[in-house]
Amino acid sequence: MTRRNRDSGSGLLRSALNSSRVPSSAGRTSQRDTPQLQYSQQASRDVSDDEFDDAASTASSDAWVMNEDEHIEIGDEWESLLDTALDALGEKRAAAREKTLQSILRLMAHTYMGDGLEGRRVMLLEALRRSVRSTKSHMEQVRALHGISMWFVNFGTQDEAESEFASVSEQLRVMVVDPACDSQVRAQALGALGVANFIAGADFRDAAELAQFVHTRVLDPALESRDMSVAHQAFSTLGLLLTVVADGDSLLLENIFDASFDSHMRGLRADSVDVRVAAAQNFALVHSALGADTDYMFDSQDELIGMLEMLQHESSKRLGKRDISVQRTAVREVLRTIEDSSAPELKLNLHGRLVRFGDWTRIVRLQAFRRVVGGGLPVHFARNELVQDVFEVKFDTTGDDFARNRARMVVNPNSELAKMRTRDIRRRRDARRDELLPDLDD
């Protein structure tokens, strides 16, 4: 978790990841495997956004497949493109603003902006927050909220992330509990709130307070009203926050999860496979964190195992083949963790290296970042210091191997981003021509 030191301005992230948790009465401590880097003959390629649907975001022993299309490359022009997009956000038509926001999302996902936009970072955030406040288009709100998540991922190591966190957090908290808000908007706001807290919150106590808020004010009402999109995001956000609490105080983690245990059991019985998987993975996350050095057992572990076994063998007559496959894979991994203390292994090909994730904490965090940046994940692993600190992975971006395997941003030539790029090139070409040509009226 990236917590910023109030005195020195340096992040507490690395120490939080590497330090042991405060021992509970059982004297538990945290020992997690650092992801291992191995060279791979397969070059990394861009991941299409379509591949990153949440239902399939379970840990898997297979490496994620990365697809690449030969379209337009966006190089060092991103700041100019972003300026053009921000100007276009002033359009009166909501449909035009929606398209512009989609272009901004692709720029923020596939480009690491953290070292740029000096003096304009807050301006970008304010533009996104204005779109969030718009009530004319739910799509505009959803995309702007996604952009806020991306803003914290891009600028999480900068001072602006800390200074803007409180006001953004307040705005998002109001939205996630507002019954007048569209369900998808509330879910996206909750996701942004969790990511912002993970990156810019003060310490694990902030994460614990938000986890309790999510449980009592968001998750339970969503389960009661059968709002599966909000419930799914609530379980996912809880998981991300619990990884932070686990690194800070294991007894606090145990107390928080005990309070939400029944809600997680209800999640396993939900109609949505996504909700079941997210709830199940939180059981595995907490069990692996609390049982690192002890034979930890939940109070109702027999009931839990019985429920998981039922889900693992559920008939495909009621669910589609894809859903049943996702559920069985996820539940099997969770059962292995609870019964055998065996964590799954997820492998990711990045820039010619095979990165292995062998514990639930890093897998849950990886899923969270994957939901935010989608196909831009290779770019942020290579360039974004925040992401590298979270996962303790470093890339040498100066060598020939990286140059050959570097991830590129690719765009469909018919997309709004490609059209924006063409308009921007034309505008700069016209400005350059006016500078070079004499004034014909003189």
Side-chain angles (χ1 to χ4, degrees):
M1 172 185 176
T2 58
R3 307 290 174 184
R4 300 181 60 80
N5 188 301
R6 304 301 195 222
D7 298 324
S8 66
S10 62
L12 295 174
L13 173 78
R14 188 176 299 280
S15 60
L17 282 174
N18 293 331
S19 64
S20 297
R21 303 188 310 276
V22 176
S24 71
S25 58
R28 306 185 191 99
T29 57
S30 173
Q31 291 181 337
R32 295 198 170 91
D33 297 330
T34 300
Q36 299 298 311
L37 288 178
Q38 295 186 358
Y39 285 101
S40 170
Q41 296 299 318
Q42 178 181 353
S44 71
R45 296 174 292 170
D46 284 326
V47 186
S48 68
D49 293 330
D50 293 339
E51 288 183 272
F52 285 110
D53 63 87
D54 292 340
S57 63
T58 61
S60 173
S61 59
D62 296 327
W64 288 344
V65 178
M66 306 215 169
N67 294 330
E68 180 177 49
D69 299 318
E70 293 298 333
H71 295 316
I72 297 173
E73 291 187 37
I74 303 297
D76 298 330
E77 305 169 7
W78 67 266
E79 288 201 46
S80 178
L81 284 171
L82 185 61
D83 287 340
T84 303
L86 289 175
D87 290 340
L89 272 185
E91 286 275 352
K92 292 184 178 180
R93 294 183 299 114
R97 295 196 301 274
E98 291 171 7
K99 291 181 178 179
T100 299
L101 282 167
Q102 185 67 8
S103 298
I104 291 174
L105 290 180
R106 287 192 62 81
L107 280 172
M108 296 181 77
H110 292 267
T111 308
Y112 172 54
M113 301 181 176
D115 295 330
L117 288 185
E118 286 284 350
R120 292 178 293 160
R121 296 164 184 161
V122 176
M123 180 182 70
L124 169 58
L125 179 62
E126 286 301 322
L128 294 170
R129 295 180 67 181
R130 282 194 298 272
S131 284
V132 168
R133 288 190 287 268
S134 172
T135 58
K136 295 182 179 180
S137 166
H138 293 156
M139 180 60 70
E140 180 181 1
Q141 289 180 298
V142 166
R143 290 180 176 176
L145 288 163
H146 192 175
I148 289 176
S149 296
M150 288 192 181
W151 188 90
F152 277 95
V153 169
N154 272 280
F155 303 109
T157 61
Q158 307 299 329
D159 292 338
E160 290 89 344
E162 181 183 347
S163 63
E164 296 299 316
F165 169 67
S167 60
V168 171
S169 178
E170 182 179 358
Q171 179 184 9
L172 297 177
R173 281 179 183 245
V174 171
M175 293 190 73
V176 299
V177 297
D178 184 357
C181 280
D182 176 76
S183 178
Q184 295 296 328
V185 172
R186 292 178 62 214
Q188 194 68 245
L190 181 57
L193 180 61
V195 169
N197 185 284
F198 178 83
I199 291 172
D203 57 25
F204 69 89
R205 297 174 188 84
D206 272 4
E209 186 275 328
L210 181 57
Q212 292 170 321
F213 171 86
V214 172
H215 167 219
T216 58
R217 300 291 304 279
V218 184
L219 176 58
D220 281 350
L223 291 173
E224 188 67 28
S225 63
R226 296 190 175 184
D227 188 335
M228 294 296 100
S229 59
V230 173
H232 177 217
Q233 185 59 64
F235 280 122
S236 298
T237 298
L238 266 177
L240 179 63
L241 296 171
L242 291 177
T243 68
V244 179
V245 180
D247 281 333
D249 187 335
S250 59
L251 182 58
L252 180 58
L253 170 67
E254 189 171 359
N255 290 335
I256 290 174
F257 197 75
D258 282 348
S260 65
F261 186 92
D262 290 343
S263 300
H264 279 78
M265 290 295 291
R266 291 174 65 191
L268 296 179
R269 294 188 289 267
D271 295 333
S272 165
V273 169
D274 293 348
V275 172
R276 297 178 192 177
V277 169
Q281 289 186 340
N282 284 354
F283 280 111
L285 168 70
V286 172
H287 191 279
S288 63
L290 295 176
D293 297 312
T294 64
D295 295 328
Y296 177 79
M297 293 183 63
F298 295 113
D299 288 340
S300 303
Q301 184 149 309
D302 290 341
E303 179 187 357
L304 170 61
I305 290 176
M307 174 64 71
L308 291 171
E309 289 177 342
M310 184 185 72
L311 292 176
Q312 186 179 10
H313 299 102
E314 187 172 12
S315 171
S316 60
K317 293 180 180 179
R318 196 168 68 89
L319 299 174
K321 290 184 177 180
R322 179 181 178 277
D323 284 345
I324 203 67
S325 175
V326 168
Q327 179 172 296
R328 285 176 177 172
T329 299
V331 170
R332 182 170 59 247
E333 292 164 346
V334 171
L335 278 169
R336 286 174 179 169
T337 298
I338 294 175
E339 294 181 318
D340 305 324
S341 299
S342 174
E345 182 180 75
L346 189 150
K347 295 178 288 186
L348 184 60
N349 271 306
L350 294 168
H351 308 295
R353 292 181 176 182
L354 190 63
V355 186
R356 299 176 183 272
F357 302 83
D359 67 79
W360 279 105
T361 290
R362 288 184 173 86
I363 288 172
V364 167
R365 291 175 177 178
L366 183 63
Q367 289 172 346
F369 278 84
R370 172 182 171 179
R371 282 190 292 269
V372 174
V373 300
L377 197 64
V379 174
H380 287 273
F381 263 96
R383 304 288 187 185
N384 191 332
E385 182 180 348
L386 182 150
V387 174
Q388 293 174 356
D389 283 348
V390 167
F391 298 104
E392 297 177 336
V393 173
K394 294 293 184 183
F395 287 92
D396 179 6
T397 59
T398 61
D400 292 338
D401 288 341
F402 179 83
R404 284 194 298 269
N405 294 320
R406 73 183 186 276
R408 297 179 296 170
M409 179 179 177
V410 292
V411 207
N412 188 305
N414 296 320
S415 69
E416 282 299 311
L417 187 55
K419 294 175 184 177
M420 186 183 300
R421 176 181 182 272
T422 301
R423 289 195 298 268
D424 186 65
I425 291 174
R426 187 181 297 119
R427 176 180 59 80
R428 287 187 285 121
R429 184 187 298 124
D430 291 344
R432 179 64 175 163
R433 181 195 61 194
D434 292 342
E435 290 178 1
L436 295 177
L437 294 179
D439 192 331
L440 297 181
D441 294 334
D442 289 347

